[in-house]
């Protein structure tokens, strides 16, 4: 991953922005090996890996990006659509913007396997 990110960043002009959308994150409590066992594409031979949000950010910073940010792509509307009691309860709590913002920040780093995130950073001028 480090070599790929470094190569992509090298093609940016100074002050350019690097965006990685819909990258999937690995929670701290699950190993890459365990995740790959349950991921069909990996079982069929795809060289797919899962990284923590912390690891993604480190790779972007090592490639020379500044102001590196990660944002969860979880949406309140998706939670609202849940038919389960847990989902309905979660929606009642999270429909309050301060609670949703706190949840979203936590989920960006510690969410479920495969939680999509958006990463971005700027190339140093």
């Amino acid at each position: 991953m480090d070599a790929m990110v470094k190569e992509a960043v090298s093609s940016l002009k100074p002050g350019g922005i690097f965006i990685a959308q819909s990258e999937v994150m690995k929670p701290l409590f699950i190993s890459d090996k365990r995740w790959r066992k349950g991921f069909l594409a990996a079982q069929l031979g795809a060289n797919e890996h899962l990284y923590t949000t912390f690891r993604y950010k480190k790779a972007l910073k090592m490639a020379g990006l500044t102001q590196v940010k990660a944002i969860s792509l979880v949406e309140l509307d998706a939670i609202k659509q849940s038919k389960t009691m847990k989902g309905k309860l979660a929606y009642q709590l999270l429909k309050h913007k301060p609670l949703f913002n706190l949840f979203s920040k936590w989920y960006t780093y510690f969410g479920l396997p495969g939680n999509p995130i958006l990463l971005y950073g700027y190339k140093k001028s």
Side-chain angles (χ1 to χ4, degrees):
M1 178 176 63
D2 293 334
M4 186 277 305
V5 171
K6 186 175 181 179
E7 182 67 25
V9 170
S10 73
S11 68
L12 290 176
K13 293 179 182 178
I17 186 171
F18 175 91
I19 300 172
Q21 183 173 347
S22 296
E23 292 299 315
V24 293
M25 57 82 69
K26 178 181 91 61
L28 299 174
F29 60 84
I30 189 171
S31 71
D32 186 60
K33 185 177 178 180
R34 181 175 157 212
W35 174 78
R36 288 174 55 78
K37 281 183 181 179
F39 185 60
L40 182 60
Q43 293 171 10
L44 296 174
N47 187 18
E48 185 73 33
H49 295 276
L50 201 59
Y51 301 98
T52 64
T53 302
F54 298 106
R55 181 66 183 90
Y56 279 119
K57 287 181 72 173
K58 180 180 178 185
L60 297 179
K61 288 177 182 178
M62 287 175 28
L65 297 177
T66 61
Q67 301 177 38
V68 174
K69 303 283 184 203
I71 302 167
S72 174
L73 297 178
V74 66
E75 296 178 357
L76 190 56
D77 284 343
I79 297 168
K80 184 178 182 178
Q81 300 301 319
S82 176
K83 303 290 184 211
T84 67
M85 189 58 107
K86 286 181 186 177
K88 290 177 182 188
L89 177 61
Y91 175 74
Q92 290 304 315
L93 291 171
L94 297 175
K95 68 181 181 181
H96 305 285
K97 192 166 178 83
L99 287 176
F100 181 76
N101 289 341
L102 180 63
F103 168 79
S104 184
K105 285 182 189 228
W106 176 86
Y107 202 69
T108 301
Y109 291 89
F110 306 106
L112 299 172
N115 174 39
I117 57 175
L118 173 96
L119 297 148
Y120 68 92
Y122 299 91
K123 187 169 183 179
K124 294 177 184 173
S125 300

